[in-house]
Amino acid sequence: MKTTEVLADLKRRFPNEPEYHQAVEEVLSSIEEVYNEHPEFERYNLIERLCVPDRIISFRVSWVDDSGKVRTNMGYRVQHNNAIGPYKGGIRFHASVNLSILKFLAFEQTFKNSLTTLAMGGAKGGSDFSPRGKSDMEIMRFCQAFIAELWRNLGADTDVPAGDIGVGGREVGYMFGYFKKMTREFTGSFTGKGLSFGGSLIRPEATGYGNCYFLQNMLATKGLDIKGKRVAISGSGNVATYTAKKIMELGGKVVSMSDSGGSIIAPDGLTQEQFDYIFELKTYMRGRLYEVPDRFPELEYHEGERPWQLVKCDIAMPSATQNELDGVDADALLANGCFAVSEGANMPSTPSAVHKFIDAKILYAPGKAANAGGVATSGLEMAQNSERLNWSAEEVDHRLSEIMKNIHAACVKYGKQDDGYVNYVRGANIAGFMKVAEAMMAQGIL
Ligand code: NDP
Ligand code: 2IT
């Protein structure tokens, strides 16, 4: 297998899908050497079967807005690979959603889920519907119309969706409700559900907390910890807010947060009062960060800017979206002394930024390792649903931190270089790939 040849072929067959090509290139260039040590992989053409999704379901979603106007959006589910467990992965509602983005996310999810050590295959779905500014009833009608099309392809042992950008507890509740109505069965068919109907404690917190646990493991390899460190975070959604909460609990200083409108900068770290307000504003009031200085004039708001070049930090935790940290941002971070990057979002750093981090030999954890705590806790929610029991917050949190420790250890095992530097990208990709590859080999040509 030659990465350049496989990639050229994928680009020819699936043009205009840059995010998908980007994600595939990153994984293939990491695994090429190991793959080529196994001639049986090539005989089974594992590589093409791993890069091209098992199936893609796409459909039109029609719904009626509050003014009575009939609206249409596109809906998709990319079922990438179910070699090691039922298809599993989030649903994204955002105006930018297209097949390239969902194919990259489903591809990444396959290796991420493998890393969790739990039995979950990889999938992703979503719509170009934007929940921003929509009423609760509009969101509900949209979710119902979306599931009216998709429900036949889902199920607790078939394909289990969850949240992602624009999809949180409210949307999962509406989708699960409609799925239950169509199937007339109450099963663990979605994760991220409300606590009163089968949701798991700590699932909302899990991605952000898990990223902090992964970071703790990385820092420990250098004899460091989070206490007193200046941490730049992007985003202010589910992942970013719980990352900030845990960083502050662990004694770190959160020096930035952002949304798609701009960044809030706190050079000395957010106070608890400031963070609590931002959490309320973004989580419950569905507000915008530009409103923050009205309440706290001492906080700077930078319209239209990302945090990376605005503030000095020791650690960066990009937690908004893909390709939100580019080579110029990476240069600024490195020049300012940043020595660790742990990704909450999926593929937030561009290839140029990733190369700069690795060339500088700083601690750099790719999303598929660092943010795997979210889907891992979804796996724990599925386990609880299957045994019809609810575990305590302490138990789930403990299992989450153990899983993150194990993912870190797997990255070190496969990613440690002769000079002692741990290339977490290589480690995560090889560890994630090997398990899926073995399962695919054992199951024949499918
Ligand atoms: P949310 O919708 O809760 O929050 C997304 C945040 O990112 C918001 O602050 C949003 O700003 C910002 N954002 C979204 N799109 C853009 C954009 N194009 N440019 C700039 N900012 C943007 O989503 P999550 O927190 O759940 O997801 C964040 C990231 O983490 C995604 O990459 C997701 O795939 C990943 N992830 C999520 C997991 C989960 O369990 N939820 C698990 C693992 C990874 P605004 O409010 O202005 O839209
Ligand atoms: O990107 C991700 O891992 C998620 N959005 C969470 C998926 C899940 O099934 O919990």
Side-chain angles (χ1 to χ4, degrees):
M1 181 269 281
K2 263 210 173 114
T3 299
T4 43
E5 285 173 12
V6 179
L7 205 68
D9 192 45
L10 288 177
K11 285 182 177 170
R12 183 185 56 77
R13 292 165 73 188
F14 310 106
N16 310 318
E17 297 187 352
E19 292 87 359
Y20 170 59
H21 303 152
Q22 183 183 336
V24 170
E25 182 166 16
E26 189 226 75
V27 171
L28 296 201
S29 53
S30 296
I31 63 167
E32 182 169 331
E33 206 182 313
V34 175
Y35 186 93
N36 288 331
E37 286 165 9
H38 293 265
E40 70 277 17
F41 288 174
E42 195 67 0
R43 267 203 307 282
Y44 272 60
N45 194 2
L46 215 62
I47 208 64
E48 275 186 48
R49 292 195 292 127
L50 200 64
C51 291
V52 180
D54 286 355
R55 75 186 59 75
I56 298 175
I57 299 136
S58 74
F59 46 94
R60 171 175 45 76
V61 185
S62 302
W63 56 285
V64 183
D65 72 16
D66 286 347
S67 71
K69 191 172 160 206
V70 178
R71 313 271 290 254
T72 66
N73 287 98
M74 282 308 295
Y76 310 94
R77 185 73 175 166
V78 178
Q79 296 181 332
H80 190 85
N81 185 292
N82 66 350
I84 64 172
Y87 298 111
K88 179 84 193 90
I91 291 194
R92 178 177 291 193
F93 291 165
H94 193 271
S96 63
V97 162
N98 58 36
L99 261 187
S100 173
I101 290 176
L102 295 180
K103 280 173 72 177
F104 117 64
L105 288 163
F107 177 81
E108 289 282 289
Q109 197 81 45
T110 300
F111 303 102
K112 183 197 302 193
N113 293 3
S114 166
L115 279 174
T116 66
T117 69
L118 305 175
M120 298 182 290
K124 203 85 186 191
S127 173
D128 58 359
F129 169 79
S130 171
R132 176 150 345 138
K134 304 288 192 303
S135 71
D136 259 13
M137 285 299 106
E138 288 177 324
I139 302 273
M140 183 188 76
R141 286 195 293 274
F142 177 80
C143 288
Q144 293 182 340
F146 183 84
I147 292 301
E149 274 296 325
L150 190 58
W151 72 274
R152 283 177 205 281
N153 302 285
L154 307 177
D157 295 318
T158 308
D159 184 352
V160 184
D164 194 78
I165 291 178
V167 176
R170 173 180 63 170
E171 292 74 18
V172 167
Y174 291 147
M175 287 192 275
F176 173 76
Y178 207 72
F179 179 81
K180 183 170 62 74
K181 184 178 168 71
M182 300 305 279
T183 56
R184 303 192 180 179
E185 279 179 358
F186 193 113
T187 59
S189 47
F190 277 77
T191 60
K193 302 185 290 300
L195 288 179
S196 55
F197 53 98
S200 174
L201 286 161
I202 306 293
R203 177 61 189 89
E205 294 87 345
T207 312
Y209 282 18
N211 191 11
C212 296
Y213 300 153
F214 193 93
L215 175 66
Q216 282 183 307
N217 281 283
M218 277 207 300
L219 293 177
T221 64
K222 304 268 179 212
L224 298 169
D225 66 20
I226 288 169
K227 206 168 174 34
K229 302 296 181 302
R230 300 153 59 83
V231 183
I233 296 173
S234 62
S236 49
N238 170 269
V239 178
T241 48
Y242 284 108
T243 303
K245 184 166 188 270
K246 184 55 88 178
I247 288 292
M248 289 170 69
E249 252 174 62
L250 294 168
K253 294 178 185 171
V254 174
V255 296
S256 70
M257 299 201 72
S258 67
D259 61 20
S260 53
S263 298
I264 286 287
I265 299 297
D268 300 321
L270 291 172
T271 63
Q272 194 62 52
E273 193 193 358
Q274 290 165 345
F275 170 74
D276 290 346
Y277 174 74
I278 292 175
F279 185 87
E280 280 281 316
L281 179 75
K282 295 300 291 191
T283 310
Y284 302 116
M285 291 147 67
R286 300 184 190 276
R288 313 291 306 156
L289 286 183
Y290 67 69
E291 299 169 48
V292 173
D294 295 344
R295 175 74 175 270
F296 296 103
E298 66 277 23
L299 289 176
E300 306 163 18
Y301 177 71
H302 295 258
E303 172 102 28
E305 293 197 54
R306 309 184 292 211
W308 320 120
Q309 298 182 42
L310 297 176
V311 65
K312 274 193 173 199
C313 67
D314 303 307
I315 297 165
M317 301 179 87
S319 308
T321 192
Q322 65 277 353
N323 292 329
E324 53 156 323
L325 194 167
D326 62 20
V328 180
D329 297 322
D331 285 336
L333 286 169
L334 292 168
N336 279 330
C338 173
F339 57 78
V341 178
S342 204
E343 296 183 340
N346 287 305
M347 207 168 75
S349 306
T350 63
S352 155
V354 174
H355 287 135
K356 285 172 194 275
F357 294 145
I358 292 176
D359 286 349
K361 298 207 167 164
I362 65 164
L363 297 169
Y364 167 66
K368 69 169 74 66
N371 73 35
V375 73
T377 307
S378 281
L380 301 178
E381 182 170 328
M382 289 163 74
Q384 292 169 79
N385 292 164
S386 296
E387 61 177 15
R388 299 187 194 280
L389 290 174
N390 298 308
W391 303 340
S392 68
E394 291 70 29
E395 168 145 21
V396 179
D397 196 32
H398 175 69
R399 285 179 187 253
L400 168 63
S401 86
E402 285 297 303
I403 289 171
M404 298 317 293
K405 192 166 100 186
N406 291 337
I407 296 175
H408 180 267
C411 291
V412 172
K413 177 175 168 194
Y414 289 100
K416 197 167 197 163
Q417 300 178 173
D418 292 341
D419 64 358
Y421 176 67
V422 180
N423 182 332
Y424 287 87
V425 175
R426 189 177 147 81
N429 285 334
I430 296 176
F433 162 74
M434 282 310 283
K435 185 173 163 191
V436 177
E438 275 165 28
M440 286 176 73
M441 290 298 292
Q443 293 171 29
I445 311 292
L446 302 173

